[in-house]
Amino acid sequence: MSMYLMNDRFVKNDEVSISIEDRGYYFGDGVYEVIRVYGGIMFTAEEHIGRMYESAEKIRMTLPYGPEEMLSKLTRLIEENAIREGHVYVQATRGSAPRVHQFPGEDITPVITAYTKSYPEVPVVPEPAKLKSVDDVRWLRCDIKSLNLLANVMAKQEAHEAGCLEALLHRDGTVTEGSSSNMFGVKDGVIYTHPVSNFILNGITRRVIMQCCEEIGQPVAEEPMSLEDVYSMDEFFMSSTTNGILPVSEIDGQKVGEGTPGPVTKRLMAAFEAKLPEPAPTR
Ligand code: PMP
């Protein structure tokens, strides 16, 4: 039976108990992270945990223990559950208190929970993705990895119903990111992606990609693309913790390039994979 992290304890499934008055349940009042595990090792764990504490600070929430303790607890959880390929999900809510919008008193402490998910040992290589453009109607603090994901859920569902893997979000025709990913276009050998701002989540995979680009001498322009631009890109790809770099074959029913991963995307994928902790048998 899987173990879960519940504040500072490791408990079994049937011992996890969350109050109906948890502010995560009422308001989505909290933050979260997903950290990928490759060969039993968390990838970019410090960066993810760092972002979680930054998100918590941005919503004025103080977690009951610090990033080092979080890292050691998540490491233990992965060991307890013997995760080789998979991920760990961790969230913190502002705690449990009678439902009023303003923060509860100082005596109420955040509730931290974490679980692990195992992936098949032989990774399933996902097909190049199809995207559907969707209006980005989210709030103006997309830099916070908040539990409030209603607009992301609605956008993903709209894409899903159109037979697409992901929504390509845009604000008045300016592409921001995906509902759970960052977006990149390639034109004449240059990678374009939205700059880091309050309009996007500063993805950890995005950060690794920027580092890879620097290392392999790949030009990058942190400039937003317009929705019109994306249809004429030579290549397009998306990034996230769970999928790494995923090539995009189609946007709104229009083929990107030849509809197959292009040379820039492939080179970047190789540079990215070289950074992963331990290659699985088929990688
Ligand atoms: N943007 C959004 C809105 C996301 O939910 C995610 C997934 N966490 C990303 C971008 C990609 O971020 P990361 O590479 O850190 O998973």
Side-chain angles (χ1 to χ4, degrees):
M1 192 189 274
S2 278
M3 299 294 280
Y4 295 77
L5 175 66
M6 175 88 210
N7 296 324
D8 54 4
R9 295 185 306 127
F10 294 88
V11 293
K12 296 202 181 79
N13 191 6
D14 53 7
E15 293 166 315
V16 179
S17 113
I18 304 288
S19 164
I20 195 168
E21 298 207 299
D22 192 285
R23 291 180 64 94
Y25 186 51
Y26 279 146
F27 300 116
D29 186 1
V31 297
Y32 76 106
E33 280 296 327
V34 181
I35 309 174
R36 186 77 163 78
V37 178
Y38 292 98
I41 299 165
M42 276 185 283
F43 181 51
T44 52
E46 279 88 358
E47 288 84 349
H48 280 282
I49 293 169
R51 183 173 66 182
M52 183 167 179
Y53 280 78
E54 278 163 26
S55 288
E57 204 182 323
K58 286 173 180 175
I59 66 162
R60 298 165 59 192
M61 184 170 87
T62 307
L63 300 186
Y65 44 83
E68 295 82 16
E69 196 170 336
M70 179 67 83
L71 178 62
S72 75
K73 284 186 162 49
L74 297 183
T75 305
R76 178 167 159 203
L77 191 67
I78 287 158
E79 281 167 12
E80 294 266 358
N81 292 334
I83 303 300
R84 296 287 305 161
E85 297 291 314
H87 70 234
V88 57
Y89 174 94
V90 55
Q91 73 169 46
T93 73
R94 207 182 299 274
S96 161
R99 188 186 179 280
V100 291
H101 288 57
Q102 69 270 26
F103 298 171
E106 303 258 300
D107 53 322
I108 303 297
T109 48
V111 171
I112 296 174
T113 46
Y115 71 84
T116 57
K117 182 174 161 62
S118 208
Y119 298 171
E121 274 289 315
V122 179
V124 182
V125 179
E127 290 283 302
K130 294 179 181 167
L131 309 182
K132 180 183 193 304
S133 58
V134 177
D135 248 345
D136 189 349
V137 298
R138 297 173 302 163
W139 71 332
L140 298 175
R141 293 306 307 275
C142 302
D143 54 310
I144 300 172
K145 202 161 168 61
S146 145
L147 289 177
N148 257 285
L149 291 172
L150 190 52
N152 307 60
V153 166
M154 298 298 288
K156 183 80 93 184
Q157 180 63 19
E158 198 177 324
H160 183 74
E161 286 174 4
C164 295
L165 184 81
E166 177 61 307
L168 178 68
L169 300 177
H170 66 93
R171 285 190 195 264
D172 293 326
T174 298
V175 170
T176 48
E177 59 177 343
S179 73
S180 61
S181 57
N182 290 113
M183 292 290 172
F184 304 79
V186 184
K187 185 74 185 169
D188 299 327
V190 179
I191 295 180
Y192 293 86
T193 194
H194 196 288
V196 171
S197 75
N198 59 308
F199 292 119
I200 68 160
L201 182 75
N202 185 355
I204 306 298
T205 319
R206 182 191 185 284
R207 297 181 204 180
V208 177
I209 287 171
M210 299 309 261
Q211 206 182 325
C212 288
C213 286
E214 204 179 313
E215 286 166 13
I216 64 173
Q218 167 62 50
V220 185
E222 290 185 79
E223 291 168 20
M225 295 171 270
S226 74
L227 202 49
E228 280 160 31
D229 291 338
V230 300
Y231 300 123
S232 56
M233 288 282 159
D234 302 324
E235 302 178 34
F236 211 87
F237 62 90
M238 52 190 263
S239 75
S240 68
T241 294
T242 40
N243 285 323
I245 298 172
L246 189 61
V248 169
S249 61
E250 235 180 79
I251 303 172
D252 291 335
Q254 297 189 39
K255 242 187 212 171
V256 177
E258 299 298 308
T260 51
V264 173
T265 309
K266 279 192 187 155
R267 196 156 159 252
L268 200 57
M269 286 171 88
F272 181 81
E273 292 207 3
K275 288 195 181 293
L276 302 180
E278 188 186 300
T282 57
R283 276 205 305 270

